[in-house]
Every structure is written in C-alpha cells, then in structure tokens.
Amino acid sequence: MVTISVLEPHKLAIDQREVHPPSKGEIAIQVMKAGICGSDMHILHGSNPFVNYPRIIGHEFAGVVTALGGGVSGLAVGDHVVADPVISCGHCHPCRIGRSNVCANLQVIGVHRDGGFRSIAVVPQENAVRISPSLGFDVAALAEPLAVAANVLWRTGCTADDTVLIYGAGTVGITVLQVAKMRGARCLIADIDEKRLDRAMEFGADAVINSKLKSVAEAVAGEMDGLGPSVVIDGAGIPALLDEACRIAGPAGRIGLLGFSAAPCNVSQQEIVRKELTLVGSRLNRRFIPEVVEWLEAGKLKPSNMITQTFGAKDARAAFNLIEQNPEKTLKVQLAFDA
Ligand code: MN
Ligand code: ZN
C-alpha cells in the first residue's frame, strides 16, 4: 500500500506500509484521488507550526469505504466518500456554539494525525461524507478547498448584494470566486500574474486587476456607487494587504482573512470605526462539506477545470517538484492512488 509521508522537514518518503484495520468508530477508505494543498507543502518544508513528524500528509481526499470499525452506523462498505479533515471534541465552548473548526481540542487529518496520501486511510466515521457514485473522485476531492471558501464567505456574510474583491487568483482565490459567484455576488480578483487572471476570467470573475500594473485601490474605487467593495477576501495571505483592504472596503464592509502569517501589520483603527468594518478570520471549515457536496452534485459548482495535473501516487515527488518549481502552471495538482 503506497504511503506518502514527511519524516522530518524536507524529507519525503514514498513507501509501502501495512494498513491497520479501523478501530471502534473509524472507517477505512480506499483513497482514489487526493489533492495537494499549500499546507502540505508547508509541512514538507517545516513551515507549518501545527504539525509534528513523522506525518502521513494529505487532507483533500475521496475514495471508497472498504472496512468499518465497531459501532459505525450510517456508512457501508462500498460507499463513495470524501473526507472532512476537521476532528473536533464536541464538548468545548466553540464546539457547543457550532464552531467546531476552532475546537479547543482541534485535530486536523494530515496535520495532527495521519492523513490521506496513502492507499488506505483510516478516519473517524464523522469525518467521512457520503457522495453520489456519479460524482467523480477528482471533483469530490475538491470539496475541502471549496468548503474553506464557503467558510470565509459565511464568516463575511456574502450575498448577491455584495461586490467581493479577492486578493490572489491562486487556488484559494479561485475557490472563493466560484462560491461567491454561486451566491450571486459581483466578483473582482487581483493578482500579479496575467495567466492566473485569465484563469479567473474563465471561472467567472466580473473583472480582473493586474496589481503589478495598476493600483487595486484605484481599480475598485468606483464599485458599489463609489463606496468600494462590500467584501474583501485575502486569498494571498500577505499581511500588508490588510491595511489596504481596510481603506478599500466600503462602509459596513467585511474583510475575511485566510492567511497564516505571524507578522504583525498596521491597520488604521479610524478606517475600521468610521466605516464599521468587520474583520474576520476563517480557518478550515465548519462542517460545510455536506453542503458543498450538494452543490457539486447539483452542478451549482463546476470546479473540474481547477485540476491542472494528476500524478500517480508513486510519482508524488514529481508532483511536489512541479508545484515548487512551476507554481504558475498549477492550480490544483492531484495524486491518483487508483492506478
Ligand atoms: Mn487544503
Ligand atoms: Zn471542541
């Protein structure tokens, strides 16, 4: 059984390992497709503060249930499922108010415990969401990044009345774009790479801004009758953008942050108070995967063009190298464990 793990920073291992049967409350999933995320790259490079090593990485995966541990109900061998990597305790304060993604005892599959880059992954039954057999495993494996987008747009309360400015046309920006368009919002996206902006247009952006060539502030100043965008999402994770976001956003604007930089940044308190801005962080997803799966099954989201390359699991090294050396050629690279 192929297993892809990071033994220590910069040390990737691709080997064959025994598979443990699922314990009580767990299920085994034969992984078919798994997406590589920026956070997997951070684990590989030792820049993810939450991980301990060695770790089998991967948290965006879909496959077929092959075995059930004791006491599992509601799932059967042969079911097609996608994983939700968020494991929460269910009894802490955030869990009790429905914010399980910031559980005081949070564990993330592929970060705090072993993940989905293996032929057979064992996960708690609560972390498997059943999908229709007609939904491709490749598309299903996009449910987690789309749930991250759904989460930040829930946090910012995005509706069809909004004009959303998205910083960054990478994987995060493109998922946010798709969910915001589905919600009926007008969407603008800024990036420094012309090819990524072309891709954003293909995914339905109403306008794109090459921030290398012109100021984002000027480009969006006329939005919402001159008030500025009502929602700003930082899909680029650049701390310095927060100050600009506060200046750009219109009155009653909401700013959603997804980046994980520890660097402090200056923001104008006056801007926040004068316009009653709402600044919200968004981490992982708050059980949005079942809803995202419904959107995918109903064809409300059609993200398959996000998958730019698929590598066999044994060739994972080539996949990681491509993402590192030619990031502009990739949007979502997936590993196939089914070959
Ligand atoms: Mn991810
Ligand atoms: Zn909890």
Side-chain angles (χ1 to χ4, degrees):
M1 296 293 176
V2 182
T3 300
I4 299 167
S5 57
V6 180
L7 303 176
E8 58 187 76
H10 310 291
K11 208 163 181 188
L12 189 72
I14 303 172
D15 48 27
Q16 304 278 330
R17 293 201 201 161
E18 288 293 306
V19 178
H20 301 284
S23 306
K24 191 166 173 284
E26 292 181 331
I27 61 161
I29 302 171
Q30 180 185 0
V31 177
M32 302 301 277
K33 291 280 162 58
I36 301 173
C37 181
S39 63
D40 296 313
M41 304 305 289
H42 286 303
I43 294 174
L44 182 56
H45 292 133
S47 53
N48 181 314
F50 307 111
V51 76
N52 41 18
Y53 299 92
R55 179 62 61 229
I56 299 170
I57 54 176
H59 60 270
E60 304 176 3
F61 56 102
V64 183
V65 177
T66 55
L68 308 176
V72 172
S73 60
L75 283 169
V77 169
D79 280 351
H80 291 199
V81 292
V82 59
D84 180 348
V86 180
I87 300 176
S88 52
C89 75
H91 51 73
C92 68
H93 172 71
C95 280
R96 287 200 310 271
I97 62 166
R99 302 283 291 276
S100 52
N101 50 326
V102 286
C103 169
N105 305 296
L106 180 71
Q107 294 233 309
V108 182
I109 292 172
V111 180
H112 303 91
R113 62 159 84 186
D114 284 338
F117 287 176
R118 46 180 166 164
S119 305
I120 303 276
V122 175
V123 305
Q125 63 166 327
E126 297 84 10
N127 292 85
V129 175
R130 198 183 310 120
I131 59 172
S132 157
S134 60
L135 192 67
F137 294 112
D138 51 351
V139 170
L142 295 171
E144 192 274 340
L146 287 163
V148 169
N151 200 80
V152 72
L153 292 172
W154 165 70
R155 292 280 287 142
T156 51
C158 173
T159 72
D161 289 329
D162 286 308
T163 292
V164 182
L165 168 66
I166 302 162
Y167 281 111
T171 319
V172 173
I174 295 292
T175 53
V176 171
L177 170 64
Q178 289 172 84
V179 178
K181 285 310 295 176
M182 188 194 72
R183 296 243 182 267
R186 173 171 161 78
C187 293
L188 322 165
I189 191 159
D191 200 287
I192 53 170
D193 185 281
E194 204 59 49
K195 277 195 219 92
R196 286 180 177 217
L197 292 173
D198 289 345
R199 201 142 49 190
M201 287 303 287
E202 286 162 27
F203 280 98
D206 295 284
V208 295
I209 303 152
N210 187 329
S211 51
K212 213 151 84 178
L213 305 178
K214 63 177 167 190
S215 136
V216 177
E218 277 170 35
V220 303
E223 295 295 328
M224 303 286 283
D225 301 319
L227 298 175
S230 51
V231 175
V232 181
I233 305 292
D234 174 19
I238 300 171
L241 292 177
L242 181 53
D243 179 54
E244 181 176 272
C246 291
R247 292 174 194 284
I248 283 174
R254 292 90 70 201
I255 298 170
L257 305 174
L258 293 155
F260 247 110
S261 172
C265 72
N266 286 318
V267 290
S268 159
Q269 184 176 336
Q270 189 184 69
E271 289 292 299
I272 296 170
V273 173
R274 182 174 65 82
K275 297 187 286 192
E276 278 201 342
L277 301 179
T278 304
L279 270 62
V280 295
S282 182
R283 183 176 184 190
L284 303 160
N285 85 93
R286 187 215 63 158
R287 302 269 168 266
F288 273 108
I289 290 186
E291 210 173 332
V292 169
V293 166
E294 281 174 29
W295 299 337
L296 292 170
E297 289 177 352
K300 290 182 184 170
L301 288 176
K302 294 192 175 71
S304 59
N305 288 344
M306 286 186 69
I307 304 162
T308 45
Q309 293 87 10
T310 303
F311 289 78
K314 292 187 188 92
D315 302 321
R317 243 182 214 99
F320 289 118
N321 288 342
L322 176 73
I323 295 169
E324 250 165 57
Q325 287 154 21
N326 300 91
E328 74 289 347
K329 289 189 180 146
T330 70
L331 187 55
K332 180 57 73 182
V333 179
Q334 289 190 339
L335 300 173
F337 287 80
D338 47 348

